Amino acid sequence: MTTLEAAADAARDNLAALESEAIHIFREVAGEFDRPVILFSGGKDSTLLLHLAIKAFWPAPVPFPLLHVDTGHNFDEVIDFRDRVVEKYGLRLVVASVQDYIDDGRLVERPDGTRNPLQTQPLLEAITDNKFDAVFGGGRRDEERARAKERIFSLRSAFGQWDPRRQRPELWNLYNGRHRPGEHVRVFPLSNFTEADVWNYIAREEVELPSIYYAHKRKVYKRDGMWLTEGPWGGPREDEDVHELTVRYRTVGDGSCTGAVESTASTVEEVIAEVQASRLTERGATRADDRISEAAMEDRKREGYF
């Protein structure tokens, strides 16, 4: 066996192990909790999460609804993709709208126009109103330092808050889902995937994604070292020049704080090669909301963020 063949076998074994772990977690939650829900935005990680859930329970339907916290500043391509997936698999979608909260005065628009930090209240109220006791998220430990120390089963208080002192050890793939009334558990089946693993698994399984994950022409302007695009969130400013570039998105979220990267990668294989050459995670490279402070993600987790 050549070195390349050995490396290919190791990669296949790694993906098989990651898939097996994620499917085990889905089935564990189904047996341990009463009202789980999957956070689904139409992004690559939540799409992979749904794909694994479908495999975990096939040929039965996915026994959980989907929950999307919609900022109102999402990319059209992603919302269209989300709705197509929901229709294709006959899923129930619960939408918590940030715009509704702004319209009725429960939230106030931020001066910078960014709505990602406004997602926490709609998320927590949707969990409470629907009595969800386990919430699947697509967070991965390689994304950001605050997520690197996250457990797969992450206990949240009755106020949705994360306290590192209350997290349980997870030895030998044993997960403790015990919680008091009003509390819930965030569950992260993709914890041990890397960005490269995600894309290699997408290639292996031929998982469909929104088109903006691949290279396309788009009018963009530079702000805070990132290429942003025009949208209802405002911009460009008078001093920000608009350029038409070939770009793609490594992650998708609120358009006011999610940047594109210059890229010609138009196929899964080309994206994989690009990701393997990168020295920055997708959040570090393209998410302005993670640059608000040194501990931005940590602060939002404590408040009840994803």
Coordinates of all heavy atoms in Angstrom, one line a residue, residues 23-38 57 63-65 127 130-137 151-157 167-168 170 173-189:
I23 N -24.3 9.9 14.9 CA -25.6 9.1 14.8 C -25.9 8.5 16.2 O -27.1 8.5 16.7 CB -25.5 8.0 13.8 CG1 -25.6 8.6 12.4 CG2 -26.5 6.9 14.0 CD1 -25.3 7.6 11.2
H24 N -24.9 8.1 16.9 CA -25.1 7.6 18.3 C -25.6 8.7 19.2 O -26.6 8.4 20.0 CB -23.7 7.1 18.9 CG -23.7 6.9 20.4 ND1 -24.5 5.9 21.0 CD2 -23.1 7.6 21.4 CE1 -24.3 6.0 22.3 NE2 -23.5 7.0 22.5
I25 N -25.2 9.9 19.0 CA -25.6 11.1 19.8 C -27.1 11.3 19.5 O -27.9 11.6 20.4 CB -24.8 12.3 19.6 CG1 -23.4 12.0 20.2 CG2 -25.4 13.5 20.2 CD1 -22.3 13.0 19.7
F26 N -27.5 11.4 18.2 CA -28.9 11.6 17.9 C -29.8 10.5 18.5 O -30.9 10.9 19.1 CB -29.0 11.6 16.4 CG -28.8 12.9 15.7 CD1 -27.7 13.1 14.9 CD2 -29.7 13.9 15.9 CE1 -27.5 14.3 14.3 CE2 -29.5 15.2 15.3 CZ -28.4 15.4 14.5
R27 N -29.4 9.3 18.5 CA -30.2 8.2 19.0 C -30.3 8.3 20.5 O -31.3 8.0 21.1 CB -29.7 6.9 18.5 CG -29.9 6.7 17.0 CD -29.2 5.4 16.5 NE -29.5 5.2 15.0 CZ -28.9 4.3 14.3 NH1 -27.9 3.6 14.8 NH2 -29.2 4.2 13.0
E28 N -29.2 8.7 21.1 CA -29.1 8.8 22.6 C -30.1 9.9 23.0 O -30.9 9.7 24.0 CB -27.7 9.2 23.0 CG -27.5 9.3 24.5 CD -27.4 7.9 25.2 OE1 -27.3 6.9 24.5 OE2 -27.6 7.9 26.4
V29 N -30.1 11.0 22.3 CA -31.0 12.1 22.7 C -32.5 11.7 22.5 O -33.4 12.0 23.3 CB -30.7 13.4 21.9 CG1 -31.8 14.4 22.0 CG2 -29.4 13.9 22.3
A30 N -32.8 11.0 21.4 CA -34.1 10.5 21.1 C -34.6 9.6 22.2 O -35.8 9.6 22.6 CB -34.2 9.7 19.8
G31 N -33.8 8.8 22.8 CA -34.2 7.9 23.9 C -34.2 8.6 25.3 O -34.9 8.1 26.2
E32 N -33.5 9.7 25.4 CA -33.3 10.3 26.8 C -34.2 11.6 27.0 O -34.5 11.9 28.2 CB -31.9 10.7 26.9 CG -31.4 10.6 28.3 CD -29.9 10.8 28.5 OE1 -29.1 10.3 27.6 OE2 -29.4 11.4 29.4
F33 N -34.6 12.2 25.9 CA -35.4 13.5 26.1 C -36.8 13.4 25.5 O -37.0 12.5 24.6 CB -34.6 14.6 25.4 CG -33.3 15.0 26.0 CD1 -32.1 14.2 25.7 CD2 -33.2 16.0 27.0 CE1 -30.9 14.5 26.3 CE2 -32.0 16.3 27.6 CZ -30.9 15.6 27.3
D34 N -37.6 14.3 25.9 CA -39.0 14.3 25.4 C -39.3 15.2 24.2 O -40.0 14.8 23.3 CB -39.9 14.8 26.6 CG -39.9 13.8 27.8 OD1 -39.9 12.6 27.5 OD2 -40.0 14.3 28.9
R35 N -38.6 16.4 24.2 CA -39.0 17.3 23.1 C -37.7 17.9 22.5 O -37.4 19.1 22.7 CB -39.9 18.4 23.6 CG -41.3 17.9 24.0 CD -42.2 19.0 24.6 NE -42.5 20.0 23.6 CZ -43.5 19.9 22.7 NH1 -44.2 18.8 22.7 NH2 -43.7 20.9 21.8
P36 N -36.9 17.2 21.8 CA -35.7 17.7 21.1 C -36.1 18.6 19.9 O -37.2 18.4 19.3 CB -34.9 16.5 20.7 CG -35.5 15.3 21.5 CD -36.9 15.7 21.6
V37 N -35.1 19.4 19.5 CA -35.3 20.2 18.3 C -33.9 20.4 17.7 O -32.9 20.5 18.4 CB -36.0 21.6 18.6 CG1 -35.1 22.5 19.5 CG2 -36.4 22.3 17.4
I38 N -33.9 20.6 16.4 CA -32.6 20.8 15.6 C -32.6 22.3 15.2 O -33.5 22.8 14.5 CB -32.5 19.9 14.4 CG1 -32.5 18.4 14.8 CG2 -31.2 20.2 13.6 CD1 -32.6 17.5 13.6
F57 N -32.2 7.9 11.7 CA -33.6 7.3 11.9 C -34.2 6.7 10.7 O -35.3 6.2 10.7 CB -34.5 8.4 12.5 CG -34.0 9.0 13.8 CD1 -33.4 10.2 13.8 CD2 -34.0 8.3 15.0 CE1 -32.9 10.8 15.0 CE2 -33.5 8.8 16.1 CZ -33.0 10.0 16.2
P63 N -37.6 12.5 13.9 CA -38.6 12.7 15.0 C -38.5 14.0 15.7 O -39.2 14.2 16.7 CB -38.3 11.6 16.0 CG -36.8 11.4 15.9 CD -36.5 11.6 14.4
F64 N -37.8 15.0 15.1 CA -37.7 16.3 15.8 C -38.1 17.4 14.8 O -37.8 17.3 13.6 CB -36.2 16.6 16.2 CG -35.5 15.4 16.7 CD1 -34.3 15.0 16.2 CD2 -36.0 14.7 17.8 CE1 -33.5 14.0 16.7 CE2 -35.3 13.7 18.4 CZ -34.1 13.3 17.8
P65 N -38.6 18.5 15.2 CA -38.8 19.7 14.4 C -37.5 20.4 14.2 O -36.5 20.1 14.9 CB -39.8 20.5 15.1 CG -39.6 20.2 16.6 CD -39.2 18.7 16.6
I127 N -37.5 28.3 22.8 CA -37.2 27.0 23.5 C -38.2 26.9 24.7 O -38.8 25.8 24.9 CB -35.8 27.0 24.1 CG1 -34.8 26.9 22.9 CG2 -35.6 25.9 25.1 CD1 -33.3 27.1 23.3
N130 N -42.0 26.4 23.4 CA -42.3 25.0 22.8 C -41.8 23.9 23.7 O -41.9 22.7 23.3 CB -41.5 24.9 21.5 CG -42.1 25.8 20.4 OD1 -43.1 25.4 19.7 ND2 -41.5 27.0 20.2
K131 N -41.3 24.2 24.9 CA -40.9 23.3 25.9 C -39.9 22.3 25.4 O -39.9 21.1 25.7 CB -42.1 22.5 26.5 CG -43.1 23.3 27.2 CD -44.3 22.5 27.7 CE -45.2 23.3 28.6 NZ -45.8 24.5 28.0
F132 N -39.0 22.8 24.5 CA -37.9 22.0 24.0 C -36.9 21.7 25.2 O -36.5 22.6 25.9 CB -37.1 22.7 22.9 CG -38.0 22.9 21.7 CD1 -38.0 24.1 21.0 CD2 -38.7 21.9 21.1 CE1 -38.7 24.4 19.9 CE2 -39.5 22.1 20.0 CZ -39.5 23.3 19.4
D133 N -36.5 20.4 25.3 CA -35.6 20.1 26.4 C -34.2 19.7 25.9 O -33.3 19.5 26.7 CB -36.2 19.0 27.3 CG -36.6 17.7 26.6 OD1 -36.4 17.7 25.3 OD2 -37.1 16.8 27.2
A134 N -34.0 19.5 24.6 CA -32.7 19.2 24.0 C -32.7 20.0 22.7 O -33.6 19.9 21.9 CB -32.5 17.7 23.8
V135 N -31.6 20.7 22.5 CA -31.5 21.6 21.3 C -30.2 21.2 20.6 O -29.1 21.5 21.1 CB -31.5 23.1 21.7 CG1 -31.4 24.0 20.5 CG2 -32.8 23.4 22.5
F136 N -30.4 20.6 19.4 CA -29.2 20.3 18.6 C -28.6 21.5 17.9 O -29.4 22.2 17.3 CB -29.5 19.2 17.6 CG -29.9 17.9 18.1 CD1 -31.2 17.4 18.2 CD2 -28.8 17.0 18.4 CE1 -31.5 16.2 18.6 CE2 -29.1 15.7 18.9 CZ -30.4 15.3 19.0
G137 N -27.3 21.7 18.0 CA -26.6 22.8 17.3 C -25.5 22.2 16.5 O -25.0 21.1 16.8
R151 N -18.8 20.9 26.0 CA -19.2 19.5 26.0 C -20.1 19.2 24.9 O -20.7 20.1 24.3 CB -19.9 19.2 27.3 CG -19.0 19.4 28.6 CD -17.9 18.4 28.7 NE -17.4 18.4 30.1 CZ -16.4 19.1 30.5 NH1 -15.7 19.9 29.7 NH2 -15.9 19.0 31.7
I152 N -20.3 17.9 24.6 CA -21.2 17.5 23.6 C -22.7 17.7 24.1 O -23.6 18.2 23.4 CB -21.0 16.0 23.1 CG1 -19.7 16.0 22.3 CG2 -22.2 15.5 22.3 CD1 -19.3 14.6 21.9
F153 N -22.9 17.3 25.4 CA -24.1 17.7 26.1 C -23.8 18.9 27.0 O -23.1 18.8 28.0 CB -24.6 16.5 27.0 CG -25.4 15.5 26.3 CD1 -25.2 15.2 25.0 CD2 -26.4 14.8 27.0 CE1 -26.0 14.2 24.3 CE2 -27.2 13.8 26.4 CZ -27.0 13.5 25.0
S154 N -24.4 20.0 26.6 CA -24.0 21.3 27.3 C -25.3 21.7 28.1 O -26.3 22.2 27.5 CB -23.6 22.3 26.3 OG -23.4 23.6 27.0
L155 N -25.2 21.6 29.4 CA -26.4 22.0 30.3 C -26.6 23.5 30.3 O -25.6 24.2 30.5 CB -26.1 21.4 31.7 CG -27.3 21.7 32.7 CD1 -28.5 20.9 32.3 CD2 -26.8 21.3 34.1
R156 N -27.8 23.9 30.2 CA -28.2 25.3 30.2 C -29.2 25.5 31.4 O -30.1 24.7 31.6 CB -28.7 25.8 28.9 CG -27.8 25.6 27.7 CD -26.5 26.4 27.9 NE -25.5 26.1 26.8 CZ -25.2 26.9 25.8 NH1 -25.9 28.1 25.8 NH2 -24.3 26.6 24.9
S157 N -29.1 26.6 32.1 CA -30.0 26.9 33.2 C -31.4 27.2 32.7 O -31.7 27.3 31.5 CB -29.5 28.1 34.0 OG -29.7 29.3 33.2
Q167 N -20.9 21.9 34.0 CA -20.8 20.9 32.9 C -20.2 19.6 33.4 O -19.4 19.5 34.3 CB -19.9 21.5 31.8 CG -20.4 22.8 31.2 CD -21.8 22.8 30.9 OE1 -22.3 22.0 30.1 NE2 -22.6 23.8 31.4
R168 N -20.7 18.5 32.8 CA -20.4 17.1 33.3 C -19.3 16.5 32.5 O -19.1 16.8 31.3 CB -21.6 16.2 33.1 CG -22.8 16.6 34.1 CD -23.7 17.6 33.5 NE -24.9 17.8 34.4 CZ -26.1 17.4 34.1 NH1 -26.3 16.7 33.0 NH2 -27.1 17.6 34.9
E170 N -17.5 13.7 30.2 CA -18.1 12.8 29.2 C -17.0 11.7 28.9 O -16.3 11.8 27.9 CB -18.5 13.6 27.9 CG -19.6 14.5 28.2 CD -20.0 15.4 27.0 OE1 -19.2 15.6 26.1 OE2 -21.2 15.9 27.0
N173 N -17.8 8.0 25.9 CA -19.0 8.2 25.2 C -20.3 8.1 26.0 O -21.3 7.7 25.4 CB -19.1 7.4 23.9 CG -17.9 7.7 22.9 OD1 -17.5 8.9 22.9 ND2 -17.5 6.8 22.1
L174 N -20.2 8.3 27.3 CA -21.4 8.3 28.1 C -21.9 9.7 28.4 O -21.1 10.6 28.8 CB -21.1 7.6 29.4 CG -20.7 6.1 29.3 CD1 -20.3 5.6 30.7 CD2 -21.9 5.3 28.7
Y175 N -23.1 10.0 28.1 CA -23.6 11.4 28.2 C -24.7 11.5 29.2 O -25.7 10.7 29.2 CB -24.2 11.8 26.8 CG -23.2 11.7 25.7 CD1 -23.3 10.7 24.7 CD2 -22.0 12.5 25.6 CE1 -22.4 10.5 23.7 CE2 -21.1 12.3 24.6 CZ -21.3 11.4 23.7 OH -20.3 11.2 22.7
N176 N -24.6 12.5 30.0 CA -25.6 12.7 31.1 C -26.5 13.8 30.7 O -26.2 15.0 30.7 CB -24.8 13.1 32.4 CG -25.7 13.3 33.6 OD1 -26.9 13.2 33.5 ND2 -25.1 13.4 34.8
G177 N -27.8 13.5 30.5 CA -28.8 14.4 30.1 C -29.7 14.9 31.2 O -30.7 15.6 30.9
R178 N -29.4 14.6 32.4 CA -30.3 15.0 33.5 C -30.4 16.5 33.6 O -29.3 17.2 33.6 CB -29.8 14.3 34.8 CG -30.1 12.8 34.9 CD -29.7 12.3 36.3 NE -28.3 12.6 36.6 CZ -27.7 12.3 37.8 NH1 -28.4 11.9 38.8 NH2 -26.4 12.5 37.9
H179 N -31.6 17.0 33.8 CA -31.7 18.4 34.0 C -33.0 18.7 34.8 O -33.9 17.9 34.8 CB -31.8 19.1 32.6 CG -32.9 18.6 31.8 ND1 -32.9 17.4 31.1 CD2 -34.2 19.1 31.5 CE1 -34.0 17.2 30.5 NE2 -34.8 18.2 30.7
R180 N -33.0 19.8 35.5 CA -34.2 20.2 36.3 C -35.3 20.7 35.4 O -35.0 21.2 34.3 CB -33.8 21.2 37.3 CG -32.7 20.8 38.3 CD -32.5 21.8 39.4 NE -31.4 21.5 40.3 CZ -30.2 22.1 40.2 NH1 -30.0 23.0 39.4 NH2 -29.2 21.7 41.1
P181 N -36.5 20.8 35.9 CA -37.6 21.4 35.1 C -37.2 22.9 34.7 O -36.7 23.6 35.6 CB -38.8 21.4 36.1 CG -38.5 20.2 37.0 CD -37.0 20.2 37.1
G182 N -37.4 23.2 33.5 CA -37.1 24.5 33.0 C -35.7 24.6 32.4 O -35.5 25.5 31.5
E183 N -34.8 23.7 32.8 CA -33.5 23.7 32.1 C -33.6 22.9 30.8 O -34.5 22.2 30.5 CB -32.5 23.0 33.1 CG -32.2 23.7 34.4 CD -31.2 23.0 35.3 OE1 -31.1 21.8 35.1 OE2 -30.6 23.7 36.1
H184 N -32.5 23.1 30.0 CA -32.4 22.3 28.8 C -31.0 22.0 28.5 O -30.1 22.5 29.2 CB -33.1 22.9 27.6 CG -32.4 24.2 27.1 ND1 -32.6 25.4 27.6 CD2 -31.5 24.3 26.1 CE1 -31.9 26.3 27.0 NE2 -31.2 25.7 26.1
V185 N -30.7 21.1 27.5 CA -29.4 20.7 27.2 C -29.2 21.1 25.7 O -30.0 20.7 24.9 CB -29.2 19.2 27.4 CG1 -27.8 18.8 26.9 CG2 -29.3 18.9 28.9
R186 N -28.1 21.8 25.4 CA -27.6 22.0 24.0 C -26.8 20.8 23.6 O -25.9 20.3 24.4 CB -26.8 23.2 23.9 CG -27.5 24.5 24.4 CD -28.6 25.0 23.4 NE -29.3 26.1 24.0 CZ -29.0 27.4 23.9 NH1 -27.9 27.7 23.2 NH2 -29.7 28.3 24.5
V187 N -27.0 20.2 22.5 CA -26.3 19.0 22.0 C -25.6 19.3 20.7 O -26.2 19.8 19.8 CB -27.3 17.8 21.8 CG1 -26.6 16.6 21.5 CG2 -28.2 17.6 23.1
F188 N -24.3 18.9 20.7 CA -23.4 19.2 19.5 C -22.8 18.0 18.9 O -21.7 17.6 19.2 CB -22.3 20.2 20.0 CG -22.8 21.5 20.6 CD1 -22.9 21.7 21.9 CD2 -23.4 22.5 19.8 CE1 -23.4 22.9 22.5 CE2 -23.9 23.7 20.3 CZ -23.9 23.9 21.6
P189 N -23.5 17.3 18.0 CA -23.0 16.1 17.4 C -21.8 16.3 16.5 O -21.1 15.3 16.2 CB -24.2 15.6 16.6 CG -25.4 16.2 17.2 CD -24.9 17.5 17.7

